[in-house]
Structure formats: structure tokens, C-alpha cells
Amino acid sequence: MPSKRTASWMIGLSALAVFATSSAVYADLSEFQWKNRLLLVFDDSKDAALLRTQRKIYDENQADMKERDLLFFEVAKDRARVIGKPAPEMDAAKLRSLLSVESQEKQVVLIGKDGGVKHRREGVIEAPDLFAIIDAMPMRQSEMRSNDEIK
């Protein structure tokens, strides 16, 4: 039987391994894992041009976004919220830290259903580019094959 010190060390090491995994995002986003892909738009600028433009693309392509189980997150200043889905506001600073996005940095981050960061860009991701990135993901390929079998 391991000593208390050894057991505590093993638990701490296990927790560190889980939270140090760079390819997965935990904490506030874990409720979406295996259900949704996430598009997080970080824009603290006064005019929020990146945020507004990316949101417009999202809104204009709702059917395609929904087909890909994509949720849109606005992350601005100290506020982070999901658009079009009832969810509590999240801690923007925590999301910035988890995704290594500096304060005042403008960035669009795409997270896959597995919780891993799939794409980052410092500018707008146009709908065709976004769909191409998502549709190339193995899980999405499987979804498309399953949808073809159902039809």
C-alpha cells in the first residue's frame, strides 16, 4: 500500500498530466466536448471588427454551421459567451490562458469535438475555409459517411 505522501504525489501527477495536455481544452469548455466544435473569437478592440465580421459569417451560414455542430463564442474584454445557446457567461481571462491568447490579441480559434485546438488565425476565417478545415477532420469525415448511409 502506498504511503500518504506517495499517494498524494501520484494524484498530483495525474492531475498535472490531465491539465497539461496542450492539445485539449478543459475547464469551462469541457461541457461541449464530444458534442460540439467551437469557434472562439477573441477581440478586445474598441471597434471589434474581427468579432463583428466573423459573427456575420457565422450568422449568414447558420445551416452549414449547425450541420457541423459549430458553436460561436464571443470573447471580449472580461466577457465570454456562447451565441445562440443558453449557457452561462465564462471567464474570458481563463479562456485566454487556456488557449494561450494574450490580452488585446485578436484571434480566431477552432476547437474540435475532441477538445483539441484544430486551427488558429489572427484574422477572419471565411466560411469556405472554415468548412474545408472542419470537413477534413477525421470525426467530421465519419459524420459525413454516416449521414450518407442514412440518406
Side-chain angles (χ1 to χ4, degrees), residues 80-129:
R81 65 188 184 115
V82 182
I83 302 303
K85 179 179 166 88
E89 283 197 12
M90 292 177 237
D91 184 340
K94 185 183 282 187
L95 288 174
R96 284 184 177 285
S97 176
L98 284 168
L99 296 168
S100 302
V101 177
E102 296 295 322
S103 180
Q104 304 300 317
E105 185 178 4
K106 296 179 185 182
Q107 198 167 117
V108 179
V109 179
L110 175 63
I111 298 174
K113 285 186 176 182
D114 64 356
V117 174
K118 305 303 179 186
H119 190 78
R120 290 178 181 270
R121 190 173 294 177
E122 291 183 4
V124 170
I125 304 176
E126 295 294 338
D129 296 335

Side-chain angles (χ1 to χ4, degrees), residues 9-60:
W9 183 79
M10 289 169 54
I11 290 169
L13 190 59
S14 297
L16 180 62
V18 167
F19 289 107
T21 304
S22 63
S23 65
V25 177
Y26 298 96
D28 293 324
L29 301 179
S30 62
E31 71 181 271
F32 303 103
Q33 192 170 13
W34 306 116
K35 296 180 230 163
N36 298 101
R37 293 175 184 89
L38 311 176
L39 189 68
L40 291 93
V41 182
F42 295 85
D43 186 353
D44 289 349
S45 67
K46 196 170 191 169
D47 68 354
L50 175 63
L51 187 56
R52 286 185 296 108
T53 304
Q54 196 68 62
R55 172 71 187 272
K56 183 177 184 220
I57 291 167
Y58 182 82
D59 290 344
E60 290 173 349

